[in-house]
Every structure is written in structure tokens, then in C-alpha cells.
């Protein structure tokens, strides 16, 4: 029997439009997946590889005990090294250890039966080869379905080449899949549209002209609100007349696509106004979705006035050049890969590619700086939502910063000489507080390796890296980072010296040296930080120092520090560091024997940490909650919480929190709970917590069902 949990296993996106035809191809994909562990769908751009792969994955999802998982690769830049991180993000796995993330993903999948769909691999063939080879070796129960314009070229790879849809063989053939697709998409694009008998001749001619290529047909369907079928065919005749002439593109070569798709896209391009064509080209620098304001910031100039851009976005969406995506924090748009590639090809022909990509990078550097300055404040949830929505674009901006050619000194904008370092470091809050520790370390390491000259930007990047390394538990790397940070501080000012002291503080904490930890925290707190705008550095010192007080058996001193933390955070509406303070406060109340107070603080921390996807903070809060619950005699609930906590730590690639005092406290809680319940009852409750859906389990932990009173 398929359980609710099994039905929910996976992250397959919803279909936005139905699949027309492809019955034989779908059956063939399913047969190939039954006999081969690697199946690749190939074919020209716009032939429908992604749509068929999605339908096949949906059909096969219940055949895999651990579900079907979708990985969209179009926004991942070649050579960016982030493919394993993107996969870890797609899976219910948040790697926060110092091990290579591909090893962690392989270990996670090793005992699972799952289908992994890699969509759009052609620009990442070598990266995908390494990924697939590693995963198939480690995980015998894994199947991989890939889509690519070329094969992956791997042993035992089964390849299915997808051809365009069948076209009408005669003018009165109304059953051909290409014609059905044209009619369905036209009805969706043009309310009230129907394909009459008198339209069949022109419709059949159009399908044959476009050779049954689905994307080309969909672009044509979007035009039927303004042009008749006969007029569309006439435009196509005109378009074919210039296919051999590249002058209209003003650069050397046509995009490397199927001729029908070049025709359909180029013809759609010609039907756009000059302003629409220019915006289309400039929007191609976005790796993911974008909102109207960001489009204005990146694309507007004297040739494309900012006030026109919202209207132009609307008209491009009406013409199926853009896909509109309603979102909770405002409407966004995105482009299909092939449409974006055409725009990028045109942008290169205009000679704007580098300048526009730099403007894109500069916009996201400005956004990161704003987030850096505003994170410790009342808008953290809004910043979390904003930055996670921009994740693909942040990667693109970082990749550009790391690969751009060195500009001439006089052309470098003020303050942009260390763009990669500055961007990676300014995003510390995104890496640290939003659940992307390992990816943040990757980009910080790359930026530090690419820009080795002593600078204030390097000092901040080292400090940001040290913040991540503390939670990743990588003491050798953290010690190396601290040593260089201290050396750099001697050449700069007070800010850089504070960075060095704060990084030394993290080394002492990870070494388990509470005396040195408290001493360094006090050194950071003797400054005049209380009279200045609130920042992360003193708040982190309060949390780390308070934790050291707890581990040395001085909970009252810890609570004094934590009360100050809570006061200043409440004053400024800050939640994230206050939640970390609540986690440590729960630990202090456990030492004091105030178990209900400990539960209140643990749940307060859990609420915020889970909202911000801070999984380490979530795990620590759950552990404190389990300890306080078992101390009040609710042992079954405590065993269930311990199971839930173990499930979370396993998704993070670790057995439990790595801080020695926390390991000892958890082991004591497990032993106390097992002794109180007995092995059988403990294992039953523990297993229930370990197998419950993680989000549902955390919701239950936040709002537990009251335990019924025992009968008289």
C-alpha cells in the first residue's frame, strides 16, 4: 500500500500545460527506466524533452520508494562548481558538515530507491558525467533520467532521441499531434479561439512549415490573437526568405538550433517592437526569475526608459517570450532556456553582453550590501524570501565576478576592485542564516583564492568564512582563517581588528575552551556597540559567550548576557540572533532545573529557526526541547522528539550537533528516556519521530497535543 508519505516523496514541479501526443515515447521512456539506470532524452531545442521527462517522472514516481527528484540545470553556469550544491538543495538534505558535498549526497542516496531527473544538461556534460558516475556507484537503487541536446557519453547510457510531433499528412487531417497542440495552445492564448473546418488548410500548412516543433508551434499560437492563420503563414514565407542572410542579426552566425525553431523565434522577434526586442536581449542576463523593479535597474537606459519596462514585460508575456510567475512578494517573470539563449545571442551582436552582465552583477552586489546592512533588524523574514527568490541570479553574479576579465584601471568603478570578495562576503547572512553554509564556503574560498592581495574586503571575507566554518565544524580551516585574519588586521583599522578577534572567538568555541571563549567575547563587548546601530558581531559574541558560561556550570551569568541580547533584539525587531539566544537560554534553564521555561525558550527558537531554514539552530532547539520534556516525565514525547531530531541531523550529513557539551547532553537524555520507557517503547516512539514528515513533525513540536490526565 502506498502511504501518504510515499505519495509526497519528491519535488516534481506541477505541469503548467498538458502533454499532447507522445504516448509511444512515454511508454518507451518508462521501459528504458525499467532496464537501465541512466536514460537520456536528446533532441533539438524546443522539441519537448523537459515536458516528456516530467510526465515520465510523474508516471514512475510511485515505483520508487524514496520518490522522484527534479533538478533544473539551465541556470547553473558551466565551470561554476555548484552542481552538487544545487542537487543537495533539491533533495531533503541540507549539508552542513566539512565533508565534500558530493560525498554527502552520495551517502544520503546510498540506501535509497529514487529517480533523479537532470533537466538541461548540455552545457554541463562533464560535470554531469562526474555527478552521475559517483551517484550510480554509491546508490544501487538510484535511476537517472537526463534531458540534453547531446548525450552524456557514459557507459550503459540508454538514449532516446525525441523527434518533432507528427504533422498533418493532408490539408484535411485534423488528428495530427502538431495540429492538436496548435489548437490547444491557441485556445489557451486567445479566449474563444476555435479551429474551424475552413481553418484546417492554413493550420496544416503552418504545422508543416514549423515541422511539428512544439516550441515553434506554441510561439505561433500566441500570435493568433492578432494575426490570422493565413497571415502567419505569409509572415513565415517572408521569414524563410531571409534565413540564409545573417545581416538582420548584425553578427556572424545563426544560433545553433533546428531551422524551424530559428524561424519561429526569429519571426516572433521581428514581430516585436524595437523596445521589446531590446528588452528581450537585455533580460537574457538573468539566470532565474526577476521582478519589474530589478528589470528596470538592470535594463533601463536612455534607449529603454525605465517607465516603459513594466508595460513591455506585460507585452512580452502576452507574446509567450516571458512566463509570468505570481509570487507572494510580487509578480516575477522568467524565460524559457531557448528564448533566453536567443536573447543572449542578440545581446552579443549588439556588443552589450559584458556591460549588461556587469550591470546585473553590480545590481546584486548593491542588493547584497543592502541585505548585509539590514539583516540585523525587523525585516529578516522579508529579506529571507527576497534572497532565496534571487538565488539563481546571485550565483550568476558571483560566477561573473569570478570569471570576468580584469578591467583597465581607469574603467573600474569606485569600490568595485574586489567585487567577488565583496559580494561573497556581503552575502554572509544568506549563507549563514538561510541554510547555504557549504555553498557560501565554496564561493568565499573561490573569491579568496582569486583575489589574494591584502585588503579590507579580504579581511571581511575571512571573517565571513570563519562564521560559516564554526557551524561546519572545520577547526583546521577555521584556525587557518583566523591566523590570516589576525595578520591582516595589523594593516588596517578597528573594524578589521574586531573581525580578527571575532574569528579567534570562534576558534576557541570550536576547540571547546570556555575560558578563552568568554575572555574573547568580553573583549568584543567592551566596545561602544550599544550606542551604535545593532550589528551581528556583538550579538554573536553574546550568544557564544553565554553558551560558554552554560558549559562551565554558570547559567546565571549566561542568562545575564542573554537577557541583554533579548532586550536589544526586541528593541530593533531582530529575530534570528534572538532565536539563537533562546536556544542557549533553554540550555541554561535546563541546568537550573527550570524545565518549563526551557521548553518555552526552545519552542521560541524553533519557530524562527525553522522559518529561516536554519537547520543547525532547529536541531539544537529540538534537542533542548527533548531534554526539557523528558525531565518533566513525558518520556514518550521525548523519545519521539529525539527521533525527529535524529532525522534532521541525518539530513544535515551528521549524527548530531558536533559541540562536545551538546553531544554529552544528548546522550544523557537518550539514556534517561530509554531507561524510563524500556527498550521496546522507546524504539517505537523514537521510530515514529524519525519517520514522520519533517515539517509536520516540527509543527507538532511547536504545538504539542496536551497529554491526557491519567485516570483517577
Amino acid at each position: 500500500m502506498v502511504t501518504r508519505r510515499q505519495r509526497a516523496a519528491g519535488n516534481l514541479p506541477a505541469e503548467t500545460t498538458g502533454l499532447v501526443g507522445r504516448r509511444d515515447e512515454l511508454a518507451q521512456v518508462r521501459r528504458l527506466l525499467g532496464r537501465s539506470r541512466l536514460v537520456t532524452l536528446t533532441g533539438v531545442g524546443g522539441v519537448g524533452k523537459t515536458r516528456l521527462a516530467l510526465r515520465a517522472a510523474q508516471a514512475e514516481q510511485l515505483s520508487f520508494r524514496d520518490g522522484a527528484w527534479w533538478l533544473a540545470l539551465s541556470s547553473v553556469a558551466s565551470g561554476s562548481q555548484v552542481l552538487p550544491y544545487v542537487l543537495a538543495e533539491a533533495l531533503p538534505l541540507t549539508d552542513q558538515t566539512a565533508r565534500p558535498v558530493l560525498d554527502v549526497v552520495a551517502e544520503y542516496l546510498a540506501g535509497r530507491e529514487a529517480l533523479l531527473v537532470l533537466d538541461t544538461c548540455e552545457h554541463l556534460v562533464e560535470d554531469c558525467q562526474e555527478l552521475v558516475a559517483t551517484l550510480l556507484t554509491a546508490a544501487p537503487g538510484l535511476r537517472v533520467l537526463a534531458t540534453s541536446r547531446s548525450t552524456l557519453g557514459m557507459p550503459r547510457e540508454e538514449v532516446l532521441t525525441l523527434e518533432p510531433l507528427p504533422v498533418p499528412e493532408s490539408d484535411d487531417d485534423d488528428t495530427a499531434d502538431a495540429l492538436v497542440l496548435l489548437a490547444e495552445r491557441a485556445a489557451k492564448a486567445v479566449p474563444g479561439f476555435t479551429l474551424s473546418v475552413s481553418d484546417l488548410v492554413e493550420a496544416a500548412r503552418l504545422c508543416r512549415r514549423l515541422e511539428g516543433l512544439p516550441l515553434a508551434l506554441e510561439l505561433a499560437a500566441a500570435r493568433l490573437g492578432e494575426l490570422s492563420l493565413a497571415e502567419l503563414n505569409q509572415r513565415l514565407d517572408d521569414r524563410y526568405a531571409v534565413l540564409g542572410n545573417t545581416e538582420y542579426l548584425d553578427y556572424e552566425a545563426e544560433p545553433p538550433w533546428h531551422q524551424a525553431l530559428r524561424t519561429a523565434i526569429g519571426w516572433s522577434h521581428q514581430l516585436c517592437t524595437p523596445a521589446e526586442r531590446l528588452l528581450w536581449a537585455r533580460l537574457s542576463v538573468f539566470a532565474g526569475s526577476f521582478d519589474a523593479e530589478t528589470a528596470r535597474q538592470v535594463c533601463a537606459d536612455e534607449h529603454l526608459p525605465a517607465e516603459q519596462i513594466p508595460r513591455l514585460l506585460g507585452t512580452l508575456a502576452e507574446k509567450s517570450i516571458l512566463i509570468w510567475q505570481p509570487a507572494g512578494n510580487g509578480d516575477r517573470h522568467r524565460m524559457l532556456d531557448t528564448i533566453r539563449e536567443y536573447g543572449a545571442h542578440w545581446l552579443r551582436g549588439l556588443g552589450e553582453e559584458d556591460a549588461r552582465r556587469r550591470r546585473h552583477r553590480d545590481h546584486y552586489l548593491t542588493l547584497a550590501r543592502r541585505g548585509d546592512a539590514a539583516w540585523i533588524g525587523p525585516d529578516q523574514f522579508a529579506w529571507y524570501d527576497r534572497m532565496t527568490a534571487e538565488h539563481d541570479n546571485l550565483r550568476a553574479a558571483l560566477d561573473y565576478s569570478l570569471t570576468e576579465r580584469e578591467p583597465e584601471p581607469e574603467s573600474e568603478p569606485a569600490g568595485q576592485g574586489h567585487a567577488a570578495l565583496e559580494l561573497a562576503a556581503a552575502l554572509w547572512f544568506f549563507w549563514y542564516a538561510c541554510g547555504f553554509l557549504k555553498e557560501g564556503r565554496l564561493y568565499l574560498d573561490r573569491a579568496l583564492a582569486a583575489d589574494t592581495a591584502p585588503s579590507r574586503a579580504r579581511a571581511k571575507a575571512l571573517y565571513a568564512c570563519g562564521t560559516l566554518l564554526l557551524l561546519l565544524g572545520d577547526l583546521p580551516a577555521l584556525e587557518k582563517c583566523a591566523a590570516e585574519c589576525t595578520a591582516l588586521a595589523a594593516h588596517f583599522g578597528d573594524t578589521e581588528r574586531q573581525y580578527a578577534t571575532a574569528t579567534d572567538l570562534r576558534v576557541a568555541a570550536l576547540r571547546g575552551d570556555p575560558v578563552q571563549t568568554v575572555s574573547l567575547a568580553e573583549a568584543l563587548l567592551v566596545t561602544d556597540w550599544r550606542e551604535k546601530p545593532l550589528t551581528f558581531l556583538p550579538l554573536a559574541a553574546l550568544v557564544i559567550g553565554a553558551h560558554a558560561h552554560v558549559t562551565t556550570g554558570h547559567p546565571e551569568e549566561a542568562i545575564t548576557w542573554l537577557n541583554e541580547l533579548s532586550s536589544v533584539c526586541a528593541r530593533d525587531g531582530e529575530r534570528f540572533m534572538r532565536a539563537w539566544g533562546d536556544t542557549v537560554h533553554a540550555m541554561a534553564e535546563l541546568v537550573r532545573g527550570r524545565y518549563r521555561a526551557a521548553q518555552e525558550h526552545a519552542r521560541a527558537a524553533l519557530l524562527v529557526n525553522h522559518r529561516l531554514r536554519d537547520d543547525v539552530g532547529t536541531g539544537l532547539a529540538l534537542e533542548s526541547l527533548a531534554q526539557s520534556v523528558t525531565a518533566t516525565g513525558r518520556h514518550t514525547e521525548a523519545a519521539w522528539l529525539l527521533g525527529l531530531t535524529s532525522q534532521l541531523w541525518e539530513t544535515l550529513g551528521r549524527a548530531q550537533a558536533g559541540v562536545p557539551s551538546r553531544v554529552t547532553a544528548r546522550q544523557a537524555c537518550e539514556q534517561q528516556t530509554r531507561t524510563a520507557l524500556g527498550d521496546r517503547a522507546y524504539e517505537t516512539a523514537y521510530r515514529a519521530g524519525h519517520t514522520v514528515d519533517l515539517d509536520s513533525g516540527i509543527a507538532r513540536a511547536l504545538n504539542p497535543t496536551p497529554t491526557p490526565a491519567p485516570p483517577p
Side-chain angles (χ1 to χ4, degrees), residues 175-187:
T175 62
D177 290 339
L179 188 68
V180 173
L181 177 67
L182 177 68
E184 286 192 6
R185 298 300 187 262

Side-chain angles (χ1 to χ4, degrees), residues 312-626:
L312 293 171
L313 291 174
T315 58
L316 286 174
E318 290 171 1
K319 295 172 181 177
S320 295
I321 304 305
L322 295 178
I323 297 174
W324 172 63
Q325 293 181 314
N329 56 352
D331 293 345
R332 299 179 71 84
H333 292 84
R334 68 177 179 88
M335 283 184 179
L336 291 175
D337 303 336
T338 311
I339 302 295
R340 182 172 60 247
E341 289 172 2
Y342 191 95
H345 205 58
W346 186 271
L347 191 67
R348 284 192 292 275
L350 295 173
E352 287 193 16
E353 181 182 26
D354 190 67
R356 203 55 54 179
R357 289 190 68 193
R358 180 175 292 233
R359 189 161 169 181
H360 174 275
R361 188 276 313 278
D362 290 347
H363 169 78
Y364 284 100
L365 177 56
T366 299
L367 180 67
R369 287 169 173 162
R370 286 173 51 211
D372 180 4
W375 178 256
I376 300 299
D379 299 320
Q380 285 171 337
F381 289 175
W383 274 105
Y384 171 87
D385 293 339
R386 174 67 187 275
M387 300 306 278
T388 51
E390 298 288 4
H391 197 164
D392 287 335
N393 284 307
L394 293 171
R395 285 180 179 139
L398 283 159
D399 290 334
Y400 174 75
S401 298
L402 287 162
T403 58
E404 68 173 322
R405 293 170 299 179
E406 192 68 26
E408 295 298 324
E410 62 269 17
S411 69
E412 183 66 64
Q416 298 289 312
H418 306 283
L421 279 176
E422 290 184 19
L423 180 54
L427 287 169
W428 69 268
F429 67 97
F430 181 62
W431 313 130
Y432 176 70
C434 301
F436 302 104
L437 295 178
K438 282 296 287 288
E439 186 176 337
R441 181 183 180 181
L442 170 72
Y443 277 116
L444 282 163
D445 283 348
R446 290 178 64 194
L448 287 163
D451 185 352
T452 58
S455 65
R456 295 181 186 275
R458 184 172 183 84
K460 182 170 182 177
L462 288 165
Y463 163 64
C465 198
T467 298
L468 305 186
L469 291 169
L470 173 62
L471 287 189
L472 290 169
D474 191 340
L475 181 58
L478 179 55
E479 289 174 332
K480 181 179 178 182
C481 186
E484 185 179 353
C485 204
T486 298
L488 276 179
H491 300 286
F492 297 106
D494 290 342
T495 298
E496 288 70 32
R497 282 190 286 273
Q498 285 192 319
Y499 289 159
T501 302
T503 309
D504 287 338
L505 168 64
R506 286 151 176 77
V507 171
L510 196 54
R511 283 176 178 165
D513 185 346
V515 174
Q516 180 71 355
T517 299
V518 170
S519 174
L520 289 166
E522 288 175 338
L524 289 168
L525 295 170
V526 296
T527 62
D528 58 350
W529 67 273
R530 296 169 183 82
E531 285 72 51
K532 295 180 178 179
L534 203 57
T535 64
F536 172 70
L537 192 147
L539 300 184
L542 285 168
V543 171
I544 296 170
H547 182 264
H549 279 307
V550 173
T551 61
T552 55
H554 299 97
E556 287 77 15
E557 287 86 343
I559 288 172
T560 298
W561 286 39
L562 294 169
N563 284 340
E564 179 171 20
L565 173 80
S566 179
S567 175
V568 295
C569 288
R571 180 195 69 201
D572 284 28
E574 201 282 337
R575 294 182 176 97
F576 176 70
M577 291 308 297
R578 187 176 183 181
W580 271 96
D582 277 319
T583 299
V584 179
H585 206 141
M587 299 174 191
E589 297 293 8
L590 282 168
V591 175
R592 298 174 75 195
R594 292 166 44 88
Y595 304 125
R596 298 199 181 279
Q599 291 174 41
E600 291 175 4
H601 284 289
R603 287 196 173 96
L606 182 60
L607 180 66
V608 174
N609 287 333
H610 186 54
R611 170 63 174 82
L612 293 175
R613 217 183 94 170
D614 177 5
D615 294 303
V616 172
T618 298
L620 292 172
L622 283 171
E623 285 190 348
S624 294
L625 187 57

Side-chain angles (χ1 to χ4, degrees), residues 257-274:
W257 306 317
H258 191 287
Q259 179 172 291
L261 186 57
R262 294 205 314 268
T263 300
I265 297 180
W267 153 64
S268 293
H269 192 263
Q270 286 184 322
L271 292 176
C272 289
T273 66

Side-chain angles (χ1 to χ4, degrees), residues 122-164:
E122 56 266 10
H123 61 303
L124 298 168
V125 169
E126 291 185 2
D127 293 336
C128 288
Q129 287 173 342
E130 179 184 0
L131 180 83
V132 171
T134 300
L135 297 182
L136 291 181
T137 300
L142 181 68
R143 294 284 192 277
V144 176
L145 175 61
T147 73
S148 177
R149 294 179 197 171
S150 60
T151 68
L152 298 187
M154 298 186 65
R156 294 181 293 280
E157 176 185 16
E158 294 272 12
V159 177
L160 175 61
T161 301
L162 200 58
E163 300 294 341

